């Protein structure tokens, strides 16, 4: 592991051996697929240390993948693109979403705690009023938070950067029906943490000590929005009820411009994307009210949203395809009877879909 660096990938003394390995025909064919499989398989190891094992292994995988992506030969990059476009690697992207959300969340929690303790220590009157035991307890908590923050941010920076360079040249895998809503929600949530009204709570002394580079994170996250810009992605961003609001993008644009995070041209591109999302958001608000009284049989039984692509499960329940496929990313069981369920067991309900589409046309025709 001494030959792996979070920022630069494989380096130093490992290079001669590394060069001999990655140039072989076997490596060009099997290395990337094996690492993507391993990335998902290590989610559960059965070990008492599986949490640390998982992120340690994924850290090394991301470092190796980055080096392969930016290597002088394009063979590995081409193989990685091919893998991502195959359905069997959807779980890898899903795990990448999960890791990015979790690691940034933990990093942000640590930063807030560090800030609170730093402010308490800076107020000499309040600090001296505490007992020695209380001060020692807070100092111990600060040391623990700083250590965790460095670890989480090292990993978080790596996963965000992986998202960034992968989406630069390959978009379709991230826009799949079962993933696009999760990608949009992840980006919106983290943009809210970094640019929202509570972002001042993340200001700590010497942020570089923890590897906290908010400008870089904001730049990469806003880049990813542009990389994935498409009708389906605009729909997903606008449909995220947890974190998205037009005000969020207004605040982000202000941050980009005021802190010189992007060029004027890049800010304009993001503004145009934000305008499209807001337009779709406004339309969706009207449409949701219009379709709120849809018959129950037209609504997904888990999410109570109007189904667009209904499929029958072996249990006899009908669900929207994207929703059940999202469920299958985490569990291979029917959510209603816990029986084994896979994608190929889903049966399109074309008759119900035709009825839903007819109902939508009639409803819109009344406007």
């Amino acid at each position: 592991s001494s030959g792996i660096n979070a920022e630069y990938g494989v380096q130093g003394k490992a290079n001669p051996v590394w060069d001999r390995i990655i140039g072989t025909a076997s490596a060009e064919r099997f290395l990337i697929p094996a690492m993507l499989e391993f990335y998902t398989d290590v989610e559960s190891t059965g070990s008492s240390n599986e949490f640390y094992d998982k992120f340690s292994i994924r850290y090394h995988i991301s470092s190796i993948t980055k080096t392969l992506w930016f290597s002088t030969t394009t063979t590995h990059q081409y193989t990685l693109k091919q893998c991502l476009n195959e359905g069997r690697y959807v779980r890898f992207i899903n795990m990448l979403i999960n890791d990015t959300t979790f690691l940034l969340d933990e990093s942000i929690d640590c930063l807030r705690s560090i800030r609170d303790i730093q402010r308490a220590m800076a107020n000499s009157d309040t600090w001296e009023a505490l007992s020695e035991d209380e001060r020692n307890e807070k100092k111990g908590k600060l040391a623990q938070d700083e250590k965790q923050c460095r670890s989480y941010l090292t990993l978080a920076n790596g996963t965000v950067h992986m998202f960034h360079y992968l989406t630069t040249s390959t978009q379709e895998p991230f826009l799949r029906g079962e993933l696009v809503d999760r990608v949009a929600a992840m980006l919106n949530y983290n943009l809210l943490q970094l640019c929202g009204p509570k972002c001042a709570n993340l200001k700590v002394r010497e942020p570089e000590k923890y590897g906290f580079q908010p400008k870089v994170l904001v730049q990469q996250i806003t880049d990813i929005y542009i990389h994935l810009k498409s009708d389906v992605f605009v729909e997903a961003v606008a449909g995220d009820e947890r974190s998205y609001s037009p005000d969020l993008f207004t605040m982000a644009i202000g941050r980009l411009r005021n802190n010189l995070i992007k060029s004027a041209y890049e800010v304009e591109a993001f503004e145009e994307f934000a305008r499209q999302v807001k337009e779709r958001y406004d339309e969706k608000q009207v449409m949701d009210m219009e379709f709120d009284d849809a018959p129950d049989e037209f609504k997904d039984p888990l999410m109570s949203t109007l189904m667009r692509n209904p499929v029958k499960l072996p249990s006899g329940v009908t669900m929207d395809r994207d929703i059940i496929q999202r469920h299958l990313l985490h569990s291979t069981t029917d959510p209603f009877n816990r029986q084994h369920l896979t994608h190929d067991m889903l049966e399109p309900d074309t008759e119900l879909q035709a009825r839903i589409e007819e109902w939508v046309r009639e409803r819109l025709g009344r406007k």
Side-chain angles (χ1 to χ4, degrees):
S1 62
S2 59
I4 294 182
N5 176 278
E7 184 176 359
Y8 300 106
V10 179
Q11 63 167 15
K13 295 180 180 179
N15 273 335
V17 177
W18 168 259
D19 291 339
R20 287 198 295 270
I21 292 174
I22 66 167
T24 65
S26 294
E28 291 177 348
R29 182 178 177 185
F30 298 115
L31 182 57
I32 288 288
M35 288 198 301
L36 298 188
E37 293 280 1
F38 193 22
Y39 194 102
T40 57
D41 289 345
V42 79
E43 177 70 15
S44 179
T45 65
S47 164
S48 59
N49 295 317
E50 72 174 18
F51 176 84
Y52 301 100
D53 291 344
K54 173 177 73 173
F55 284 113
S56 175
I57 291 168
R58 287 178 176 173
Y59 162 75
H60 288 87
I61 290 174
S62 66
S63 296
I64 295 170
T65 303
K66 177 179 177 178
T67 304
L68 292 173
W69 183 267
F70 291 103
S71 64
T72 53
T73 174
T74 60
T75 305
H76 292 288
Q77 188 176 120
Y78 177 75
T79 302
L80 181 51
K81 290 180 184 178
Q82 276 192 315
C83 287
L84 293 179
N85 281 291
E86 293 180 17
R88 67 194 181 105
Y89 293 103
V90 168
R91 288 188 67 235
F92 163 73
I93 299 176
N94 187 59
M95 296 295 179
L96 195 59
I97 295 169
N98 291 345
D99 288 353
T100 303
T101 300
F102 172 80
L103 292 168
L104 278 176
D105 228 12
E106 293 298 311
S107 301
I108 286 169
D109 283 347
C110 287
L111 286 166
R112 286 174 176 153
S113 178
I114 290 169
R115 179 178 183 269
D116 289 345
I117 298 174
Q118 285 180 343
R119 292 184 70 184
M121 294 174 70
N123 188 326
S124 57
D125 291 340
T126 305
W127 184 253
E128 292 301 326
L130 298 175
S131 68
E132 184 176 352
D133 287 344
E134 288 174 323
R135 290 197 297 269
N136 288 336
E137 182 181 349
K138 287 186 179 293
K139 287 178 181 178
K141 179 72 165 59
L142 177 62
Q144 180 183 5
D145 286 338
E146 289 184 329
K147 180 180 179 181
Q148 288 185 331
C149 193
R150 281 191 292 269
S151 297
Y152 283 132
L153 276 169
T154 296
L155 299 169
N157 290 335
T159 59
V160 172
H161 188 220
M162 182 180 280
F163 252 111
H164 186 268
Y165 68 74
L166 290 179
T167 56
T168 300
S169 58
T170 181
Q171 293 80 40
E172 289 304 316
F174 300 89
L175 300 176
R176 294 174 65 98
E178 63 267 45
L179 290 174
V180 65
D181 288 342
R182 300 203 68 234
V183 173
M186 180 270 291
L187 293 172
N188 288 343
Y189 177 74
N190 287 305
L191 189 66
L192 180 62
Q193 301 301 306
L194 295 167
C195 296
K198 297 183 180 179
C199 67
N201 294 336
L202 305 181
K203 290 183 179 179
V204 296
R205 291 198 295 273
E206 299 180 278
E208 63 281 355
K209 185 166 83 170
Y210 314 112
F212 183 45
Q213 300 174 293
K215 290 183 180 180
V216 174
L217 286 171
V218 170
Q219 179 185 42
Q220 291 182 341
I221 288 172
T222 50
D223 279 350
I224 296 168
Y225 282 108
I226 301 302
H227 295 168
L228 298 177
K229 182 180 176 182
S230 60
D231 289 345
V232 67
F233 188 61
V234 167
E235 176 85 19
V237 173
D240 172 30
E241 298 179 358
R242 180 187 182 190
S243 302
Y244 172 76
S245 71
D247 288 344
L248 168 60
F249 276 37
T250 300
M251 288 185 284
I253 290 166
R255 180 63 57 87
L256 293 174
R257 183 174 284 117
N258 296 337
N259 291 280
L260 304 177
I261 295 174
K262 288 183 180 294
S263 67
Y265 173 80
E266 290 172 321
V267 174
E268 287 176 8
F270 189 74
E271 281 183 307
E272 173 57 20
F273 175 75
R275 185 195 65 76
Q276 292 181 18
V277 173
K278 184 181 185 304
E279 185 177 283
R280 186 66 194 99
Y281 172 80
D282 292 340
E283 292 172 354
K284 186 171 170 44
Q285 296 295 105
V286 175
M287 296 285 278
D288 286 349
M289 292 179 61
E290 195 69 31
F291 298 151
D292 188 55
D293 62 344
D296 288 343
E297 63 175 323
F298 292 174
K299 294 182 179 181
D300 180 85
L302 282 184
M303 301 301 294
S304 295
T305 51
L306 186 68
M307 292 187 286
R308 296 296 188 176
N309 190 359
V311 292
K312 293 180 181 177
L313 280 56
S315 59
V317 177
T318 298
M319 293 186 65
D320 193 69
R321 180 181 291 278
D322 287 349
I323 293 173
I324 184 59
Q325 287 186 330
R326 263 200 311 273
H327 167 80
L328 291 175
L329 290 172
H330 307 282
S331 171
T332 56
T333 60
D334 185 317
F336 296 95
N337 63 10
R338 313 311 298 169
Q339 295 298 307
H340 180 66
L341 181 66
T342 57
H343 293 275
D344 57 359
M345 297 166 70
L346 306 176
E347 180 185 344
D349 193 334
T350 54
E351 186 273 333
L352 179 59
Q353 183 172 4
R355 290 169 54 207
I356 293 173
E357 290 173 352
E358 178 61 26
W359 182 84
V360 169
R361 281 194 296 270
E362 289 181 0
R363 180 54 60 96
L364 294 177
R366 297 177 189 174
K367 296 180 65 177

